Amino acid sequence: MAVHVQNKRKLFLDSYHQTNRAQRSREREAVAFIFSGEGGEVICSRRLDHRTIQIFDRQLMELSEHIKTANVEDAVLRQPLHPAARGTLCVTGHHLLFSDREESSPQHFLLLLRNIDAIEKRMSGSSGTITIKCKDLCVLQLDIPGMEQCLNIARSIETLSCLENVSEMYPFFYRPSDQSLKDQWGLSSTEKHYSQMTDLHDRWRVSSVNRDYSVCPTYPQAVIVPKDINDEMLVKAAKFRHGGRFPVLCYYHRKNGMVIMRSSQPLTGANRKRCREDELLLQAVIDGSDKGYIIDTRSSQQAQQARMTGGGFESKSCYSCWKRLHRQVERGKALQESLIKLVEACGNDSHNMDRWLSKLENSKWLSHVQTALSTAGLLAECVERDGHSVLVHCSEGTDSTLLISTVAQLIMDPCCRTLEGFLALLEREWVQAGHPFQKRCAHSAYSHARLQQESPVFLLLLDCVWQLLHQFPLALGFSEALLLRLATEAYASSYGTFLCNSDKERCVSRVKEKTLCLFQALLRPKERRCYANPLYERTELAIWPSVHPQSLQLWRGYFLRWTQQARHLEEAQEEIRNMVILWEKMALT
Amino acid sequence: MEHLRTPKVENVHLLDRSSGQRRASVGTLYLSATHSIFVEDNPETRKETWVLHSMVNSVEMPSNSPAGSQLILRCKDFRVLQILIPQERDCLDIHASLVRLSRPEKYSELYCLSFNPNVNKEEREESWSFIDLMSDYRRMGVPNNLWVMTAANSEYRVCDTYPSELFVPKSAAPTIITGSSRFRSRGRFPVLSYFHQDTLAAVCRCSQPLSGFSGRCQEDEMMLQAVMRSNPGSDFIYVVDTRPKLNAMANRAAGKGYENEDHYTNIKLQFIGIENIHVMRSSQQKIIDVGEMRSPSMTDFLWGLENSGWLKHIKAILDAGVFIARAVADEGISVLVHCSDGWDRTTQACSVASLLLDPYYRTIRGLMVLIEKDWISFGHKFSHRYAHLDGDPKEVSPVMDQFLECVWQLSEQFPCAFEFNERFLLTIHTHVYSCQYGTFLGNSQRERKELRLPERTHSVWSQLWKDRVDFRNPLFKADLSQSQRVLRPNTTPYCFKMWKGLYSHIDKSMPPCQSPADFLSAMREESQQLEEELTNHQEVPPGGAAHHHPGSRQEDSGADRAANRVGED
């Protein structure tokens, strides 16, 4: 217990006054960073002047052609929870920068252009108003004098907020003075993960069959597979799976030796094709025990229909030891539309109670949270309570598959519930496992652009994790603030972690050499203080979430983030933090 | 005791889902004059479940199953107990006894008259003087040169549902008071409810005027003038009619209604639209049903929530409070609040407004004072509304439930602003119904005096004060901005949630060791102890106290709460 107290003390003792300032100082640093060149030298941190902007822009020649008006004097910025401010607006290659006129304490406001989801412009007389709707759900308004200036700014924002070329994006230019490209990128690797789980070494191996990404373009170079299955067989099994995503291990349950595998759908097609190697692979997984479960996150009807387009499911006759369960977890377009409806409902204060509740119901977002949590609960039940291994997949195996396996691991494994453990889990199950972040998070709820492959699967994951945190406030080592930060960073970031759609793409764009890693940054001591849960008490038990509708709540911290209400809740969090610090001080004296 | 035909039945199955039970336990059921007591057979636990007869709302006997006869007890705190009795005859006896015992016909049958905690006469008398309303009026600064006490109602002659001690504008002469009272429903003339020292504006309450379509009363008009003059510098008052305008207009046909702005100069009339007690009663039944749904889909649940209309009503009450608080604190304008009789919606609106205006009412003792003042002393009809005696079911309505829920909704929005926790609100809720203490008995101050309750029963307030450690919100901090001065809640629909603690008894999946409040309470308590130790003894054995984790304490309190009693402390 004494050790525990000391650890906590270490974590929180000094943070007493700093936590509150962390957010502000981060913003200030950001202002500084934007002016720092490749060398990391801060040119200007406080005052804005025209020349500095131009120096900065010279590094971004290609982008500056999109900037017709770089500076606007006498603009007015209106943001939620702040009084309107008058000052200077600048557009740079990647940011909107606003600094107010208060000579005594100039305030800077910095917005990553990538964070802008949609803009609306309205002209009246000689001036114009641009409403900026951000991907983090913040809505801002800029009053700009001069019609031409206003149109220029709007045009710049429209172009620069949705750059297609990865190497032009901000993470490739972000060079804060206290972080270096030489720092380690990422927290772990398949090999390292494997080496930590010594129990599975006699039956499982690391295969580098995908070292050049030729077997499966969306998998990492190394994957964990049964020892009995050689690389040649893997290549054949991969040909039988959608996108080459053959079954690989994603979780080993130490208590009973059972595993979670994930993959994409088998390509059985209309004529019920079979693949001997795929069957052997799965046979090798349950080797010895009587059966395993396959959780297909589509309805059985959807799975049947998939055969018409070359997909399919594992039939009972070919995979006799596997029992298939269908649970429809929504993804893709339906999920994106759900988010759009929910955000629309939350953004309108004039609804009466009936209208609000029916809009909330109609958005179906909470239903999706419920299904995701209950399906993950089912998966965890199979592994932890019934003692069976499970294969989980949907069609592509890059969305709801990852969602379900991640939440199930959080339910079962206390190691995933620490701050490091959780970030490592996200790295493994989302970044390395090939969730197409760039496609899914190209736009959020406000965009008028035609939907392409946007879908808030990752946001749904964060919501599920928040529900866990809400139901088990002491069991997770990280706080709501971390989930909010991740939700923001997934859509627009200074870091390279969520760039691209797969490990292969990151390799091609040299993301790991040319950008900084978010997960590493979040684990630095001063960041850690904001993101650790002061109430955390490690429990070895599984945390079974209740999926009863009464137990699930709207994630107010995210969806109502820019309202006064969220401020009061933050104040309470702050108070909890202070109390824990005080208690630890007392306990130690 | 004549109603007890079968005092004891063995081999009874009890399922109490509200305590997280999934499987029925087997034991013996005892019936006493005051309680049903179920004792588990399991020799290790011998867990006891106590249900006060007065907490039983209904006893149903659905069709028999092969295993025996079933009884379903629905309690007034919305717990549902399922009992399976092997012999049909026993079941019929128990049913008949419970039906009778749960519906006492006379005050003398009520539990509070037999409840005898281990205290002497002095302590009992002290318990009744624990809350002193006059000192609260002094605290808010009255009497003063604007508001004075009137003796007009000292014998309850002007208004038998008002308290004997009332504050009125200094300029309101006795003739104005009596004249005005004759023009108001049930004689409930305008009196002071809360005086806001910062702005000198006041919250006043009354019932509807007996105006009909064209009636007017000079004294009543002068009374409202006097209310306005008691707020120097203001040139009008708000008259808040908490009813929907349509209802208020309909009342005119019955010779009642609302103030005609042509006759009353310098008033601004405002309708809020809180529905009447009948609408509220059926709405609550619907939300109870939502809380009892076994495994609804999210759609069923949200649809049920919407269809119940409950949160809409809670919002309307809170909106009324917000309107009054804003007028008083921001505009410095006095407000006169009424509905029809001025004892339900008016009480809700005034007490919510006071809670928003004055941080004192957000403390443990302050909430007691507020309830004593706005609810008990001003003649909220507790015995009728909460069916203390078998009577007209149309009089029953969850008026107090709604007020407590408003407080809870506010505490969810301002987690650091209230000294008490949810448990305090739930305990008050239980005792409003339980009849264990005399505090909430009767329908008016006069009735309580006639019943000689202070001599024959105990007051709940001093008991709650003794238990205040259990009711403390560890996050309450008087120096935080949200704890100070006027609360300005957001009443956008998305700020409201279903009060799971009251209505949901199905799903208590969170283990007690996962409650941050308990963790923090234990921690805060320990910090204080350590602090005391430090000041008392400069030398503390090194590390001695640090090894004790608050968690161990909190498991104890969890076990206490698991003791499975209804209407018992």
Side-chain angles (χ1 to χ4, degrees):
Chain A
M1 204 49 78
V3 174
H4 169 80
V5 170
Q6 261 172 11
N7 283 341
K8 280 204 170 172
R9 180 186 165 87
K10 221 173 4 185
L11 274 173
F12 302 115
L13 202 60
D14 296 327
S15 65
Y16 192 93
H17 295 294
Q18 289 180 3
T19 40
N20 219 357
R21 272 184 244 144
Q23 181 68 35
R24 260 176 293 144
S25 74
R26 239 200 333 276
E27 279 165 20
R28 260 204 308 279
E29 280 160 24
V31 177
F33 298 157
I34 188 177
F35 295 109
S36 59
E38 282 271 343
E41 201 59 36
V42 176
I43 301 168
C44 166
S45 64
R46 279 290 172 137
R47 291 192 56 83
L48 279 173
D49 70 78
H50 197 80
R51 254 165 314 167
T52 325
I53 300 289
Q54 287 179 334
I55 293 167
F56 178 69
D57 275 345
R58 227 166 276 147
Q59 295 162 358
L60 295 166
M61 269 318 192
E62 313 94 286
L63 299 184
S64 61
E65 75 193 43
H66 300 299
I67 304 172
K68 292 256 154 46
T69 300
N71 263 348
V72 177
E73 298 289 338
D74 226 16
V76 175
L77 171 71
R78 296 171 212 276
Q79 43 176 332
L81 306 173
H82 291 275
R86 190 175 287 274
T88 309
L89 176 76
C90 300
V91 187
T92 73
H94 292 111
H95 289 90
L96 268 191
L97 196 46
F98 180 89
S99 54
D100 70 17
R101 277 201 193 140
E102 291 298 317
E103 276 305 314
S104 51
S105 60
Q107 296 284 316
H108 296 290
F109 172 80
L110 183 68
L111 181 71
L112 206 52
L113 287 168
R114 185 92 196 148
N115 190 3
I116 296 174
D117 205 23
I119 62 167
E120 283 155 24
K121 40 188 189 284
R122 208 176 59 239
M123 298 295 156
S124 63
S126 64
S127 73
T129 298
I130 304 179
T131 304
I132 298 177
K133 299 184 170 179
C134 300
K135 291 172 184 167
D136 63 7
L137 308 187
C138 188
V139 178
L140 309 161
Q141 210 182 303
L142 279 171
D143 299 343
I144 295 169
M147 199 196 303
E148 180 155 1
Q149 291 194 94
C150 183
L151 288 172
N152 283 343
I153 299 273
R155 210 169 299 130
S156 299
I157 293 175
E158 274 165 351
T159 320
L160 293 167
S161 61
C162 26
L163 298 173
E164 294 278 338
N165 185 350
V166 174
S167 60
E168 281 179 355
M169 291 182 187
Y170 185 59
F172 287 91
F173 302 91
Y174 179 55
R175 299 290 174 265
S177 55
D178 60 344
Q179 293 172 69
S180 149
L181 288 180
K182 293 187 196 93
D183 295 342
Q184 190 193 332
W185 206 97
L187 302 174
S188 186
S189 63
T190 309
E191 289 85 353
K192 212 168 140 196
H193 186 220
Y194 176 81
S195 71
Q196 285 160 351
M197 301 184 291
T198 45
D199 294 356
L200 56 70
H201 288 185
D202 50 336
R203 283 189 50 220
W204 299 82
R205 68 186 182 97
V206 174
S207 164
S208 2
V209 67
N210 198 38
R211 73 182 73 81
D212 55 0
Y213 304 107
S214 60
V215 179
C216 171
T218 58
Y219 269 170
Q221 289 168 308
V223 290
I224 303 173
V225 292
K227 224 172 195 167
D228 300 343
I229 306 299
N230 62 34
D231 284 358
E232 224 170 288
M233 295 164 86
L234 291 178
V235 173
K236 287 190 177 143
K239 293 215 172 83
F240 185 63
R241 292 277 173 178
H242 190 119
R245 293 175 73 91
F246 55 92
V248 296
L249 178 133
C250 71
Y251 174 67
Y252 176 79
H253 196 49
R254 233 167 289 127
K255 279 184 210 153
N256 57 15
M258 294 301 129
V259 298
I260 302 178
M261 308 284 294
R262 55 174 156 69
S263 69
S264 59
Q265 63 177 345
L267 302 174
T268 53
N271 0 319
R272 301 176 189 276
K273 259 196 312 213
R274 294 179 64 163
C275 171
R276 183 84 196 120
E277 288 75 13
D278 190 71
E279 289 165 23
L280 284 173
L281 199 167
L282 288 184
Q283 191 58 45
V285 171
I286 48 169
D287 171 55
S289 67
D290 56 339
K291 67 170 173 186
Y293 285 101
I294 295 172
I295 295 181
D296 191 327
T297 61
R298 302 166 294 179
S299 68
S300 59
Q301 200 190 359
Q302 285 174 327
Q304 287 283 359
Q305 280 167 356
R307 285 176 42 215
M308 298 305 131
T309 49
F313 51 89
E314 295 83 355
S315 68
K316 210 175 276 173
S317 55
C318 310
Y319 300 83
S320 55
C321 293
W322 290 84
K323 186 171 166 40
R324 215 173 58 243
L325 305 167
H326 289 277
R327 291 288 184 280
Q328 190 186 343
V329 180
E330 211 60 73
R331 63 207 157 83
K333 210 169 175 178
L335 199 59
Q336 180 71 16
E337 278 161 2
S338 168
L339 175 72
I340 292 170
K341 282 184 191 163
L342 177 62
V343 169
E344 196 264 310
C346 291
N348 192 337
D349 285 0
S350 64
H351 289 321
N352 65 24
M353 187 65 76
D354 288 352
R355 188 114 183 90
W356 156 249
L357 287 172
S358 94
K359 288 233 165 203
L360 180 63
E361 191 279 305
N362 191 250
S363 81
K364 295 278 180 254
W365 181 262
L366 285 172
S367 302
H368 298 321
V369 172
Q370 187 187 31
T371 322
L373 271 178
S374 68
T375 309
L378 174 74
L379 169 51
E381 242 173 337
C382 292
V383 175
E384 155 99 18
R385 286 198 179 144
D386 299 352
H388 292 294
S389 288
V390 180
L391 167 70
V392 53
H393 70 70
C394 49
S395 308
E396 294 92 353
T398 52
D399 295 287
S400 50
T401 306
L402 309 180
L403 170 64
I404 300 311
S405 80
T406 307
V407 177
Q409 292 180 54
L410 278 166
I411 292 174
M412 289 188 285
D413 186 3
C415 300
C416 296
R417 298 183 212 137
T418 63
L419 180 56
E420 294 88 341
F422 178 59
L423 294 178
L425 176 69
L426 292 182
E427 182 180 68
R428 216 163 51 233
E429 290 292 278
W430 291 78
V431 179
Q432 291 170 359
H435 176 66
F437 277 101
Q438 199 178 326
K439 288 180 194 160
R440 297 291 182 258
C441 302
H443 284 290
S444 180
Y446 291 125
S447 172
H448 308 300
R450 203 169 58 86
L451 285 185
Q452 291 176 329
Q453 296 205 45
E454 292 83 358
S455 183
V457 190
F458 187 66
L459 187 62
L460 183 60
L461 167 83
L462 296 175
D463 198 332
C464 289
V465 179
W466 179 81
Q467 305 286 347
L468 282 177
L469 184 61
H470 186 252
Q471 291 185 24
F472 301 92
L474 276 57
L476 302 179
F478 47 88
S479 65
E480 178 174 1
L482 179 77
L483 302 176
L484 293 172
R485 175 90 189 260
L486 289 169
T488 307
E489 299 275 349
Y491 282 90
S493 179
S494 306
Y495 295 89
T497 301
F498 295 124
L499 287 181
C500 303
N501 295 304
S502 66
D503 211 41
K504 182 187 178 183
E505 283 185 31
R506 272 184 289 274
C507 194
V508 170
S509 305
R510 300 183 57 209
V511 167
K512 292 178 194 177
E513 292 102 71
K514 291 177 145 183
T515 74
L516 293 163
C517 169
L518 173 69
F519 295 149
Q520 287 290 353
L522 292 176
L523 288 173
R524 288 176 301 160
K526 76 172 179 192
E527 301 269 338
R528 197 187 265 268
R529 274 191 292 269
C530 312
Y531 299 127
N533 174 7
L535 296 173
Y536 176 56
E537 273 286 303
R538 185 184 170 110
T539 168
E540 296 301 318
L541 301 172
I543 48 171
W544 299 104
S546 160
V547 295
H548 196 287
Q550 292 168 15
S551 308
L552 302 177
Q553 303 224 323
L554 177 68
W555 183 12
R556 288 177 165 71
Y558 182 74
F559 292 105
L560 304 173
R561 192 176 183 179
W562 307 102
T563 64
Q564 192 59 41
Q565 210 204 1
R567 293 293 100 91
H568 298 307
L569 301 182
E570 273 168 29
E571 199 175 17
Q573 287 300 321
E574 186 65 22
E575 185 53 29
I576 291 177
R577 216 175 273 275
N578 291 342
M579 278 181 67
V580 175
I581 295 161
L582 188 72
W583 168 68
E584 268 145 14
K585 267 187 195 157
M586 296 303 304
L588 280 167
T589 34
Chain B
M1 296 300 275
E2 71 267 28
H3 310 299
L4 295 179
R5 291 183 218 174
T6 310
K8 176 182 170 187
V9 189
E10 287 176 339
N11 254 324
V12 169
H13 287 68
L14 173 92
L15 183 59
D16 176 11
R17 285 186 198 280
S18 55
S19 64
Q21 245 186 323
R22 281 170 200 252
R23 299 228 314 268
S25 48
V26 187
T28 307
L29 181 69
Y30 300 89
L31 233 56
S32 82
T34 54
H35 289 88
S36 308
I37 306 149
F38 175 85
V39 184
E40 219 177 79
D41 281 344
N42 187 342
E44 277 169 30
T45 51
R46 303 283 295 170
K47 199 174 111 183
E48 294 175 10
T49 304
W50 290 56
V51 183
L52 196 58
H53 294 325
S54 47
M55 284 306 282
V56 175
N57 187 41
S58 73
V59 196
E60 289 162 34
M61 223 171 81
S63 55
N64 292 348
S65 75
S69 310
Q70 259 199 85
L71 274 186
I72 296 179
L73 260 62
R74 289 178 194 279
C75 299
K76 291 172 179 171
D77 58 359
F78 315 124
R79 297 175 57 181
V80 180
L81 287 94
Q82 286 167 278
I83 299 171
L84 191 73
I85 296 170
Q87 296 294 325
E88 192 181 357
R89 192 176 39 83
D90 289 338
C91 187
L92 285 168
D93 280 356
I94 298 275
H95 180 259
S97 301
L98 281 178
V99 163
R100 177 62 190 83
L101 289 165
S102 64
R103 281 182 214 150
E105 285 160 0
K106 303 190 289 281
Y107 280 119
S108 59
E109 290 174 40
L110 290 176
Y111 180 45
C112 56
L113 293 167
S114 59
F115 173 64
N116 191 8
N118 199 12
V119 294
N120 57 33
K121 186 166 168 280
E122 284 73 35
E123 281 176 281
R124 197 194 63 222
E125 279 165 8
E126 242 174 73
S127 84
W128 281 100
S129 55
F130 177 72
I131 298 293
D132 174 18
L133 285 188
M134 282 310 117
S135 76
D136 189 50
Y137 283 109
R138 280 195 298 278
R139 190 191 59 82
M140 60 173 102
V142 291
N144 54 26
N145 58 357
L146 303 167
W147 294 89
V148 293
M149 185 141 87
T150 171
N153 201 40
S154 57
E155 305 286 324
Y156 305 108
R157 283 208 190 108
V158 179
C159 172
D160 61 354
T161 58
Y162 264 175
S164 54
E165 289 158 323
L166 290 165
F167 288 88
V168 290
K170 196 172 187 182
S171 58
T175 49
I176 294 182
I177 291 174
T178 45
S180 165
S181 82
R182 264 184 247 118
F183 190 64
R184 292 275 168 183
S185 201
R186 314 264 175 178
R188 294 172 71 94
F189 59 95
V191 294
L192 180 77
S193 166
Y194 178 73
F195 179 71
H196 194 58
Q197 273 171 302
D198 295 353
T199 59
L200 304 184
V203 181
C204 300
R205 58 185 295 169
C206 61
S207 59
Q208 64 185 339
L210 303 174
S211 53
F213 289 103
S214 57
R216 59 189 293 185
C217 163
Q218 204 185 1
E219 287 93 341
D220 194 60
E221 287 161 24
M222 286 162 79
M223 187 69 176
L224 266 63
Q225 280 296 312
V227 169
M228 188 192 83
R229 274 201 300 276
S230 273
N231 179 10
S234 73
D235 48 12
F236 72 99
I237 61 168
Y238 283 110
V239 174
V240 170
D241 191 327
T242 56
R243 298 168 293 184
K245 190 168 184 187
L246 216 62
N247 298 20
M249 282 164 76
N251 261 298
R252 291 207 296 196
K256 300 164 185 172
Y258 53 91
E259 290 78 358
N260 185 335
E261 277 172 289
D262 297 338
H263 301 160
Y264 294 83
T265 43
N266 309 324
I267 66 163
K268 281 191 186 169
L269 200 56
Q270 174 77 34
F271 293 93
I272 299 276
I274 304 176
E275 297 290 347
N276 64 28
I277 58 169
H278 312 294
V279 174
M280 299 307 191
R281 187 192 315 118
S282 75
S283 171
Q284 192 190 37
Q285 190 49 55
K286 286 183 192 151
I287 198 165
I288 293 169
D289 294 343
V290 170
E292 278 182 27
M293 288 199 270
R294 252 340 137 60
S295 45
S297 68
M298 187 57 80
T299 301
D300 293 342
F301 171 73
L302 289 174
W303 191 84
L305 201 57
E306 181 192 336
N307 186 48
S308 77
W310 184 253
L311 290 178
K312 179 170 65 188
H313 301 315
I314 298 295
K315 173 174 153 56
I317 296 164
L318 213 48
D319 278 332
V322 168
F323 178 87
I324 298 165
R326 260 194 214 140
V328 169
D330 298 348
E331 296 180 59
I333 300 297
S334 291
V335 183
L336 176 64
V337 188
H338 72 71
C339 48
S340 300
D341 289 322
W343 50 43
D344 293 317
R345 290 170 270 199
T346 300
T347 307
Q348 290 173 328
C350 289
S351 53
V352 169
S354 297
L355 193 81
L356 297 175
L357 284 166
D358 194 334
Y360 174 69
Y361 297 128
R362 307 197 283 263
T363 63
I364 291 179
R365 192 194 272 263
L367 188 71
M368 297 180 189
V369 170
L370 183 64
I371 293 173
E372 185 74 33
K373 174 171 72 80
D374 277 344
W375 293 78
I376 299 175
S377 87
F378 276 111
H380 175 65
K381 305 202 291 173
F382 279 95
S383 279
H384 284 165
R385 294 288 177 261
Y386 312 110
H388 292 161
L389 298 178
D390 195 21
D392 183 0
K394 286 215 168 67
E395 282 284 320
V396 179
S397 188
V399 186
M400 184 79 178
D401 302 38
Q402 291 182 316
F403 168 67
L404 292 172
E405 177 160 342
C406 284
V407 181
W408 178 80
Q409 299 280 2
L410 286 170
S411 74
E412 284 289 293
Q413 214 174 114
F414 302 95
C416 306
F418 292 83
E419 191 194 11
F420 46 81
N421 57 18
E422 181 184 19
R423 213 172 293 154
F424 186 54
L425 300 174
L426 291 174
T427 307
I428 293 176
H429 180 265
T430 297
H431 285 301
V432 164
Y433 287 90
S434 76
C435 302
Q436 188 177 348
Y437 295 88
T439 310
F440 300 113
L441 230 55
N443 295 309
S444 65
Q445 194 180 66
R446 180 183 166 169
E447 220 176 297
R448 273 184 288 277
K449 266 194 191 147
E450 283 166 4
L451 287 168
R452 293 188 296 116
L453 289 176
E455 292 156 51
R456 300 159 74 199
T457 69
H458 300 265
S459 163
V460 73
W461 298 133
S462 64
Q463 185 56 47
L464 295 181
W465 183 250
K466 265 182 218 146
D467 299 336
R468 62 188 179 280
V469 179
D470 293 341
F471 301 135
R472 196 154 271 166
N473 167 18
L475 287 179
F476 173 66
K477 224 177 162 192
D479 56 359
L480 283 178
S481 63
Q482 60 175 272
S483 312
Q484 289 166 355
R485 295 189 299 274
V486 182
L487 277 192
R488 295 171 205 284
N490 183 346
T491 59
T492 314
Y494 56 60
C495 296
F496 293 80
K497 291 186 272 194
M498 176 169 169
W499 190 3
K500 222 177 122 191
L502 188 59
Y503 293 109
S504 165
H505 291 289
I506 294 168
D507 198 61
K508 294 249 162 83
S509 64
M510 190 195 284
C513 58
Q514 284 292 330
S515 154
D518 286 354
F519 182 93
L520 291 169
S521 298
M523 208 174 66
R524 174 154 277 186
E525 205 178 303
E526 195 170 295
S527 299
Q528 278 164 0
Q529 278 177 4
L530 287 164
E531 207 163 356
E532 279 165 32
E533 269 176 50
L534 269 177
T535 42
N536 291 344
H537 320 279
Q538 284 304 310
E539 288 171 31
V540 182
H547 288 277
H548 179 68
H549 190 266
S552 58
R553 190 179 295 273
Q554 132 217 343
E555 271 154 37
D556 298 345
S557 66
D560 282 351
R561 258 175 297 118
N564 197 5
R565 297 178 174 196
V566 180
E568 281 282 316
D569 282 327

